[in-house]
């Protein structure tokens, strides 16, 4: 047999074996630990939700789910890493409205397209945004806050988790509604950003309620308003932006699970079922409620719903955001 025929034969066996292995893999999946990339620092809202849901998914799937915090560039470093991972179901990512929608409008050379370079697994939570100030920021309410940051635009600073992060885009919206362009102070996540706010090193921030409830209850920061039509049961004394005089500012973030493009459908089905089951777990429901999060209803947890949401959100954020740099 000529060398070419041998190589061709080997390639054929290899590919059929690979295909066969993929089918067998899907059937037995998972047979080893799964990595869940969190594209922000530990302790922030995406990390908290990832660990909460990942713990329950691990029980269902029968294998450990290891959280890997891959930080930088507003979450796009971790999302790029996930988009390039082997599509065998052993690397997934907890992305969100920033990494898997808004970033496409901000980064002209983004290394991935959230609509085509990922397989949607499931929407995980809705996290209303809260307008926060450091404890000794002078304004006592949102009206005074708006006046204050307008008057002190050149000296106030606003914390965020990098260009494209939820805290970056949602405070970008707020700054646009108010008509200011303050100094931004980037962090590797709103976990560390919150530490700076509590420490008084930054003046204000727009963050997912997940990260806020404990600090507000402890009195370490000020919460001026929650950007939803109704008050949030986890922070009943925090007014809505409408009540507080800024009805034009309404925004809620979402976190969701994705796998790299080409992950076998049978594996995606198992991951989706484990995620959906985690959202019905009493402990998860109770914790999400305590943290002010909304859990999607059962019919909102399908890959198709998430895929459509990503497309809608990419189109929505393109209207508000211009490429940076
Ligand atoms: C985080 O987990 O640190 C946040 O999701 C970052 C952000 O997007 O603001």
């Amino acid at each position: 047999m000529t060398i070419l025929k041998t190589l061709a034969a080997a390639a054929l066996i290899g590919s059929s074996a690979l295909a066969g292995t993929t089918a067998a893999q899907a059937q037995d999946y998972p047979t080893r630990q799964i990595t869940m990339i969190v594209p922000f620092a530990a302790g922030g809202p995406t990390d908290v939700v990832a660990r909460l849901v990942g713990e329950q998914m691990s029980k269902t799937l029968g294998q450990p789910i290891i959280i890997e915090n891959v930080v930088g560039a507003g979450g796009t470093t971790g999302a790029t890493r996930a988009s390039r991972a082997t599509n065998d179901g052993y690397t997934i990512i907890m992305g969100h409205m920033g990494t898997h929608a808004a970033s496409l409008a901000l980064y002209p050379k983004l290394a991935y397209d959230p609509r085509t370079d990922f397989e949607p697994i499931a929407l995980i939570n809705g996290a209303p945004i809260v307008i926060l100030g450091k404890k000794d920021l002078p304004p006592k309410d949102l009206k005074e806050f708006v006046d204050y940051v307008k008057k002190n635009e050149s000296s106030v600073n606003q914390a965020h988790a990098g260009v494209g992060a939820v805290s970056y885009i949602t405070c970008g919206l707020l700054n646009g509604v108010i008509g200011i362009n303050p100094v931004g102070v980037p962090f590797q996540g709103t976990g560390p950003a919150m530490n700076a706010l509590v420490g008084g090193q930054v003046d204000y921030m727009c963050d997912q309620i997940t990260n806020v409830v404990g600090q507000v209850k402890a009195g370490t920061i000020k919460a001026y308003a929650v950007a939803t039509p109704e008050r949030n049961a986890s922070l009943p004394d925090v007014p809505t932006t409408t009540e507080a005089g800024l009805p034009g500012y309404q925004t809620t973030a979402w976190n969701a699970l994705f796998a790299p493009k080409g992950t076998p459908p049978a594996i995606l089905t198992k991951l989706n079922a484990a995620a959906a089951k985690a959202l019905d777990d009493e402990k998860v429901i109770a914790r999400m409620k305590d943290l002010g999060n909304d859990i999607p209803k059962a019919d909102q947890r399908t890959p198709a719903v998430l895929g459509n949401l990503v497309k809608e959100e990419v189109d929505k954020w393109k209207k508000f955001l211009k490429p940076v740099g």
Side-chain angles (χ1 to χ4, degrees), residues 103-124:
S103 287
L104 199 58
L106 289 163
Y107 291 93
K109 297 190 172 57
L110 192 62
Y112 62 88
D113 184 325
R115 299 165 294 187
T116 55
D117 292 324
F118 289 90
E119 305 293 353
I121 296 171
L123 180 63
I124 297 298

Side-chain angles (χ1 to χ4, degrees), residues 150-305:
K150 271 181 169 172
K151 206 160 75 185
N152 298 282
E153 178 179 1
S154 60
S155 61
V156 292
N157 63 34
Q158 173 233 312
H160 60 77
V163 173
V166 159
S167 45
Y168 176 90
I169 59 179
T170 56
C171 243
L173 273 185
L174 175 68
N175 296 337
V177 168
I178 297 174
I180 58 170
N181 185 19
V183 169
V185 183
F187 294 83
Q188 300 288 24
T190 50
M194 181 60 79
N195 294 338
L197 190 71
V198 169
Q201 285 101 34
V202 290
D203 294 317
Y204 73 100
M205 176 161 79
C206 304
D207 200 3
Q208 296 165 72
I209 197 165
T210 322
N211 200 33
V212 169
V213 175
Q215 296 296 352
V216 172
K217 288 185 170 172
T220 59
I221 56 173
K222 280 177 176 165
Y224 288 110
V226 60
T228 43
E230 307 295 328
R231 290 197 179 200
N232 192 287
S234 66
L235 292 173
D237 301 332
V238 176
T240 66
T241 45
T242 301
E243 288 173 301
L246 205 63
Y249 185 66
Q250 307 267 341
T251 181
T252 291
W254 47 267
N255 288 277
L257 283 173
F258 298 88
K261 180 175 63 181
T263 302
I267 290 180
L268 294 171
T269 301
K270 287 187 180 179
L271 286 166
N272 173 269
K277 188 174 176 198
L279 296 177
D280 284 334
D281 175 81
E282 291 307 311
K283 184 183 158 196
V284 171
I285 293 168
R287 186 85 181 114
M288 288 282 206
K289 187 164 180 284
D290 289 347
L291 295 173
N293 278 225
D294 306 312
I295 293 180
K297 302 225 176 323
D299 63 357
Q300 297 301 304
R301 300 173 191 172
T302 67
V305 164

Side-chain angles (χ1 to χ4, degrees), residues 8 40 60 69 73 84-85 141 145 221 229 253 262 277 325:
F40 296 100
T60 303
N69 300 86
R84 294 173 176 164
D141 59 30
F145 170 84
I221 56 173
K277 188 174 176 198

Side-chain angles (χ1 to χ4, degrees), residues 2 18 58 70 73 100 111 125 130 142 152 164 202 207 210 215 218 233 251 273 312:
T2 68
L18 185 63
S58 168
V70 180
H100 282 72
N125 70 314
V130 188
L142 188 58
N152 298 282
V202 290
D207 200 3
T210 322
Q215 296 296 352
T251 181
E312 289 161 8

